[in-house]
mmCIF file of all heavy atoms in Angstrom:
data_model
loop_
_atom_site.group_PDB
_atom_site.id
_atom_site.type_symbol
_atom_site.label_atom_id
_atom_site.label_comp_id
_atom_site.label_asym_id
_atom_site.label_seq_id
_atom_site.Cartn_x
_atom_site.Cartn_y
_atom_site.Cartn_z
ATOM 1 N N TRP A 68 43.152 -10.887 34.015
ATOM 2 C CA TRP A 68 42.338 -9.580 33.887
ATOM 3 C C TRP A 68 40.841 -9.696 34.013
ATOM 4 O O TRP A 68 40.075 -8.918 33.441
ATOM 5 C CB TRP A 68 42.709 -8.883 32.550
ATOM 6 C CG TRP A 68 44.156 -8.707 32.316
ATOM 7 C CD1 TRP A 68 45.092 -9.383 31.612
ATOM 8 C CD2 TRP A 68 44.957 -7.642 33.020
ATOM 9 N NE1 TRP A 68 46.333 -8.990 31.699
ATOM 10 C CE2 TRP A 68 46.251 -7.844 32.595
ATOM 11 C CE3 TRP A 68 44.679 -6.547 33.792
ATOM 12 C CZ2 TRP A 68 47.374 -6.971 32.946
ATOM 13 C CZ3 TRP A 68 45.696 -5.838 34.192
ATOM 14 C CH2 TRP A 68 47.041 -5.973 33.841
ATOM 15 N N SER A 132 33.453 -12.166 20.113
ATOM 16 C CA SER A 132 34.619 -12.847 20.655
ATOM 17 C C SER A 132 35.431 -11.961 21.573
ATOM 18 O O SER A 132 36.164 -12.631 22.452
ATOM 19 C CB SER A 132 35.483 -13.206 19.556
ATOM 20 O OG SER A 132 34.897 -14.140 18.696
ATOM 21 N N THR A 133 35.434 -10.682 21.601
ATOM 22 C CA THR A 133 36.203 -9.880 22.461
ATOM 23 C C THR A 133 35.400 -8.606 22.968
ATOM 24 O O THR A 133 34.517 -8.180 22.250
ATOM 25 C CB THR A 133 37.486 -9.297 21.773
ATOM 26 O OG1 THR A 133 37.057 -8.220 20.846
ATOM 27 C CG2 THR A 133 38.339 -10.445 21.254
ATOM 28 N N GLY A 134 35.780 -8.075 23.991
ATOM 29 C CA GLY A 134 35.202 -6.806 24.496
ATOM 30 C C GLY A 134 35.370 -5.645 23.543
ATOM 31 O O GLY A 134 34.391 -4.819 23.389
ATOM 32 N N THR A 135 36.416 -5.629 22.866
ATOM 33 C CA THR A 135 36.625 -4.628 21.688
ATOM 34 C C THR A 135 35.472 -4.592 20.739
ATOM 35 O O THR A 135 34.993 -3.657 20.292
ATOM 36 C CB THR A 135 38.097 -4.882 21.086
ATOM 37 O OG1 THR A 135 39.044 -4.542 22.118
ATOM 38 C CG2 THR A 135 38.211 -3.978 19.907
ATOM 39 N N GLU A 136 35.336 -5.959 20.400
ATOM 40 C CA GLU A 136 34.094 -6.173 19.327
ATOM 41 C C GLU A 136 32.822 -5.679 19.905
ATOM 42 O O GLU A 136 31.965 -5.159 19.209
ATOM 43 C CB GLU A 136 33.945 -7.518 18.917
ATOM 44 C CG GLU A 136 34.718 -8.046 17.729
ATOM 45 C CD GLU A 136 34.354 -9.490 17.568
ATOM 46 O OE1 GLU A 136 35.042 -10.348 18.069
ATOM 47 O OE2 GLU A 136 33.505 -9.828 16.732
ATOM 48 N N THR A 138 32.104 -3.456 22.314
ATOM 49 C CA THR A 138 31.912 -1.945 22.372
ATOM 50 C C THR A 138 31.846 -1.378 20.885
ATOM 51 O O THR A 138 31.076 -0.364 20.594
ATOM 52 C CB THR A 138 32.949 -1.285 23.180
ATOM 53 O OG1 THR A 138 34.292 -1.663 22.570
ATOM 54 C CG2 THR A 138 32.921 -1.707 24.675
ATOM 55 N N TYR A 161 38.328 2.925 29.476
ATOM 56 C CA TYR A 161 38.875 2.042 28.311
ATOM 57 C C TYR A 161 37.735 1.174 27.893
ATOM 58 O O TYR A 161 36.924 0.466 28.583
ATOM 59 C CB TYR A 161 39.983 1.086 28.809
ATOM 60 C CG TYR A 161 40.725 0.146 27.866
ATOM 61 C CD1 TYR A 161 41.414 0.769 26.802
ATOM 62 C CD2 TYR A 161 40.407 -1.225 27.895
ATOM 63 C CE1 TYR A 161 41.891 -0.015 25.785
ATOM 64 C CE2 TYR A 161 41.109 -2.002 26.948
ATOM 65 C CZ TYR A 161 41.821 -1.445 25.915
ATOM 66 O OH TYR A 161 42.347 -2.273 24.991
ATOM 67 N N HIS A 162 37.616 1.097 26.574
ATOM 68 C CA HIS A 162 36.524 0.249 25.953
ATOM 69 C C HIS A 162 37.129 -0.618 24.809
ATOM 70 O O HIS A 162 36.391 -0.895 23.876
ATOM 71 C CB HIS A 162 35.427 1.105 25.422
ATOM 72 C CG HIS A 162 34.877 2.167 26.355
ATOM 73 N ND1 HIS A 162 34.173 1.755 27.460
ATOM 74 C CD2 HIS A 162 34.934 3.554 26.518
ATOM 75 C CE1 HIS A 162 33.593 2.806 28.110
ATOM 76 N NE2 HIS A 162 34.343 3.875 27.684
ATOM 77 N N GLY A 163 38.274 -1.036 25.039
ATOM 78 C CA GLY A 163 38.875 -1.813 23.896
ATOM 79 C C GLY A 163 39.760 -0.848 22.986
ATOM 80 O O GLY A 163 39.772 0.276 23.220
ATOM 81 N N HIS A 164 40.102 -1.440 21.849
ATOM 82 C CA HIS A 164 40.978 -0.674 20.876
ATOM 83 C C HIS A 164 40.414 -0.380 19.632
ATOM 84 O O HIS A 164 41.296 -0.051 18.626
ATOM 85 C CB HIS A 164 42.361 -1.398 20.966
ATOM 86 C CG HIS A 164 42.302 -2.752 20.263
ATOM 87 N ND1 HIS A 164 42.525 -2.985 18.877
ATOM 88 C CD2 HIS A 164 42.050 -4.016 20.869
ATOM 89 C CE1 HIS A 164 42.291 -4.163 18.690
ATOM 90 N NE2 HIS A 164 42.160 -4.890 19.782
ATOM 91 N N GLU A 223 32.311 3.137 31.348
ATOM 92 C CA GLU A 223 32.485 1.954 32.110
ATOM 93 C C GLU A 223 31.436 2.096 33.229
ATOM 94 O O GLU A 223 31.449 3.145 33.871
ATOM 95 C CB GLU A 223 33.870 2.025 32.692
ATOM 96 C CG GLU A 223 34.908 1.608 31.670
ATOM 97 C CD GLU A 223 36.329 1.362 32.338
ATOM 98 O OE1 GLU A 223 36.274 0.519 33.154
ATOM 99 O OE2 GLU A 223 37.292 1.974 31.921
ATOM 100 N N ASN A 228 39.842 1.186 34.617
ATOM 101 C CA ASN A 228 40.996 0.789 33.797
ATOM 102 C C ASN A 228 41.888 2.120 33.905
ATOM 103 O O ASN A 228 42.832 2.316 33.166
ATOM 104 C CB ASN A 228 40.591 0.792 32.399
ATOM 105 C CG ASN A 228 40.175 -0.665 32.058
ATOM 106 O OD1 ASN A 228 41.061 -1.499 32.042
ATOM 107 N ND2 ASN A 228 38.849 -0.937 31.884
ATOM 108 N N ASP A 256 29.341 -0.027 29.574
ATOM 109 C CA ASP A 256 30.397 -1.062 29.472
ATOM 110 C C ASP A 256 30.640 -1.764 30.647
ATOM 111 O O ASP A 256 31.276 -1.335 31.541
ATOM 112 C CB ASP A 256 31.730 -0.258 28.921
ATOM 113 C CG ASP A 256 32.720 -1.434 28.479
ATOM 114 O OD1 ASP A 256 32.657 -2.621 28.700
ATOM 115 O OD2 ASP A 256 33.824 -0.926 28.027
ATOM 116 N N GLU A 257 30.149 -3.086 30.684
ATOM 117 C CA GLU A 257 30.416 -3.916 31.854
ATOM 118 C C GLU A 257 31.363 -5.037 31.567
ATOM 119 O O GLU A 257 31.267 -6.129 32.171
ATOM 120 C CB GLU A 257 28.943 -4.524 32.348
ATOM 121 C CG GLU A 257 28.122 -3.401 32.915
ATOM 122 C CD GLU A 257 27.668 -3.738 34.349
ATOM 123 O OE1 GLU A 257 28.457 -4.359 35.037
ATOM 124 O OE2 GLU A 257 26.498 -3.309 34.678
ATOM 125 N N VAL A 258 32.252 -4.861 30.571
ATOM 126 C CA VAL A 258 33.254 -5.902 30.249
ATOM 127 C C VAL A 258 33.971 -6.232 31.420
ATOM 128 O O VAL A 258 34.327 -7.542 31.692
ATOM 129 C CB VAL A 258 34.168 -5.452 29.105
ATOM 130 C CG1 VAL A 258 35.354 -6.452 28.897
ATOM 131 C CG2 VAL A 258 33.339 -5.326 27.766
ATOM 132 N N MET A 259 34.417 -5.360 32.279
ATOM 133 C CA MET A 259 35.186 -5.626 33.558
ATOM 134 C C MET A 259 34.215 -5.966 34.655
ATOM 135 O O MET A 259 34.406 -6.976 35.469
ATOM 136 C CB MET A 259 36.005 -4.451 33.949
ATOM 137 C CG MET A 259 36.744 -4.681 35.217
ATOM 138 S SD MET A 259 38.427 -5.125 35.021
ATOM 139 C CE MET A 259 39.196 -3.572 34.280
ATOM 140 N N THR A 260 33.131 -5.183 34.943
ATOM 141 C CA THR A 260 32.275 -5.274 36.064
ATOM 142 C C THR A 260 31.280 -6.335 35.901
ATOM 143 O O THR A 260 30.699 -6.711 36.986
ATOM 144 C CB THR A 260 31.558 -3.929 36.339
ATOM 145 O OG1 THR A 260 30.912 -3.468 35.180
ATOM 146 C CG2 THR A 260 32.621 -2.879 36.853
ATOM 147 N N THR A 286 27.694 -3.849 27.396
ATOM 148 C CA THR A 286 28.613 -4.826 26.962
ATOM 149 C C THR A 286 29.202 -5.674 27.941
ATOM 150 O O THR A 286 29.475 -5.268 29.086
ATOM 151 C CB THR A 286 29.829 -4.092 26.238
ATOM 152 O OG1 THR A 286 30.279 -2.993 26.976
ATOM 153 C CG2 THR A 286 29.325 -3.398 24.920
ATOM 154 N N GLY A 288 32.213 -9.056 28.721
ATOM 155 C CA GLY A 288 33.488 -9.739 28.283
ATOM 156 C C GLY A 288 34.013 -10.246 29.414
ATOM 157 O O GLY A 288 33.380 -10.672 30.374
ATOM 158 N N LYS A 289 35.365 -10.702 29.251
ATOM 159 C CA LYS A 289 36.110 -11.198 30.395
ATOM 160 C C LYS A 289 35.320 -12.416 31.135
ATOM 161 O O LYS A 289 35.438 -13.490 30.550
ATOM 162 C CB LYS A 289 36.497 -10.113 31.400
ATOM 163 C CG LYS A 289 37.496 -9.175 30.751
ATOM 164 C CD LYS A 289 38.032 -8.133 31.510
ATOM 165 C CE LYS A 289 39.195 -7.339 30.688
ATOM 166 N NZ LYS A 289 38.843 -5.939 30.475
ATOM 167 N N ALA A 298 32.491 -12.497 24.170
ATOM 168 C CA ALA A 298 32.102 -11.337 24.833
ATOM 169 C C ALA A 298 30.670 -11.161 24.329
ATOM 170 O O ALA A 298 30.176 -12.107 23.425
ATOM 171 C CB ALA A 298 32.939 -10.137 24.352
HETATM 172 C C1 PLP B 501 38.965 -5.288 28.990
HETATM 173 C C2 PLP B 501 37.980 -4.330 28.623
HETATM 174 C C3 PLP B 501 37.502 -4.034 27.316
HETATM 175 C C4 PLP B 501 38.153 -4.834 26.171
HETATM 176 O O1 PLP B 501 38.023 -6.122 26.122
HETATM 177 P P1 PLP B 501 38.930 -7.073 25.299
HETATM 178 O O2 PLP B 501 38.253 -8.401 25.369
HETATM 179 O O3 PLP B 501 40.303 -6.927 25.847
HETATM 180 O O4 PLP B 501 38.927 -6.533 23.919
HETATM 181 C C5 PLP B 501 36.488 -3.197 27.122
HETATM 182 N N1 PLP B 501 35.873 -2.492 28.054
HETATM 183 C C6 PLP B 501 36.411 -2.622 29.425
HETATM 184 C C7 PLP B 501 35.680 -1.868 30.397
HETATM 185 C C8 PLP B 501 37.396 -3.434 29.670
HETATM 186 O O5 PLP B 501 37.879 -3.674 30.993
#
Side-chain angles (χ1 to χ4, degrees):
W68 301 100
S132 299
T133 65
T135 294
E136 263 184 277
T138 55
Y161 181 67
H162 305 292
H164 62 93
E223 286 189 53
N228 282 288
D256 183 351
E257 293 238 32
V258 169
M259 175 102 69
T260 49
T286 52
K289 299 189 169 112

